[in-house]
Amino acid sequence: MKKSPLRKKGKSDVAKCKDRIQKLLRSIVIIRDGGCILRTFTEAGKCGGYRDDGELILQFDHLHSRANSASYGISDLGVCVCLRHHFYFKKQYPAMYEELVRRNIGEKRCQLLDRVRADKRPHSFSLWDWQKIELWLKKELSKYE
């Protein structure tokens, strides 16, 4: 029996909604953070990861696991980082990454992050819950535009 490769992305309505949420989060933090938050920290090195047209690739980094539905769609629980800092620096220097991010996001967001990380309860979300989050993020984005 021939095995087909696993699909990398889901095709359900929930998966599609979460993709839209991820795009909204990225748009919000690019505007809010003004680019990679580690660009001013010399100890983090230079930003990197460019598209073919020369534009820096910016991403939304969830500061708490994306597997946790309760924190997935909260823009305050993420930051804007370039590709290099997100995929290389974070993995090579996790403690320094955490320290620099905490210095950048401020005490209020650090407290929120700590509370979310301490919450070990399971949270089940339906499509309707994800759609409400999507609407909330659209409203948040409109405040920045």
Side-chain angles (χ1 to χ4, degrees):
M1 178 166 112
K2 183 179 177 185
K3 293 183 180 181
S4 59
L6 293 175
R7 187 180 315 127
K8 291 183 181 183
K9 280 188 152 187
K11 293 188 178 190
S12 69
D13 289 338
V14 168
K16 291 174 185 175
C17 188
K18 287 176 82 173
D19 281 345
R20 292 190 303 272
I21 288 170
Q22 185 70 19
K23 288 176 185 172
L24 286 166
L25 288 167
R26 179 181 177 274
S27 297
I28 289 167
V29 298
I30 287 173
I31 296 168
R32 181 193 70 200
D33 298 345
C36 180
I37 64 158
L38 299 179
R39 67 189 177 275
T40 60
F41 294 104
T42 56
E43 58 267 49
K46 293 184 179 181
C47 289
Y50 293 88
R51 297 185 331 195
D52 290 340
D53 65 2
E55 188 173 327
L56 184 65
I57 298 170
L58 296 172
Q59 301 174 327
F60 180 85
D61 181 24
H62 293 265
L63 299 177
H64 185 58
S65 172
R66 289 180 5 165
N68 184 320
S69 295
S71 65
Y72 185 91
I74 302 174
S75 65
D76 281 347
L77 292 174
V79 292
C80 181
V81 288
C82 68
L83 180 69
R84 180 189 166 273
H85 286 126
H86 195 194
F87 285 109
Y88 301 105
F89 182 78
K90 182 179 180 179
K91 287 179 177 68
Q92 289 176 323
Y93 306 102
M96 185 186 299
Y97 183 86
E98 177 84 7
E99 177 195 339
L100 296 176
V101 166
R102 283 181 171 275
R103 280 199 289 180
N104 184 278
I105 67 174
E107 187 60 33
K108 187 176 178 182
R109 287 173 61 197
C110 284
Q111 289 173 356
L112 173 62
L113 178 59
D114 292 338
R115 283 195 312 272
V116 167
R117 286 179 175 171
D119 182 7
K120 304 297 183 195
R121 296 172 294 163
H123 300 277
S124 180
F125 281 44
S126 67
L127 175 59
W128 174 239
D129 295 315
W130 292 115
Q131 290 170 331
K132 287 189 293 187
I133 291 169
E134 182 181 8
L135 287 172
W136 177 260
L137 290 172
K138 285 179 180 179
K139 184 177 178 182
E140 184 179 348
L141 181 59
S142 71
K143 292 177 185 176
Y144 288 109
E145 294 180 326

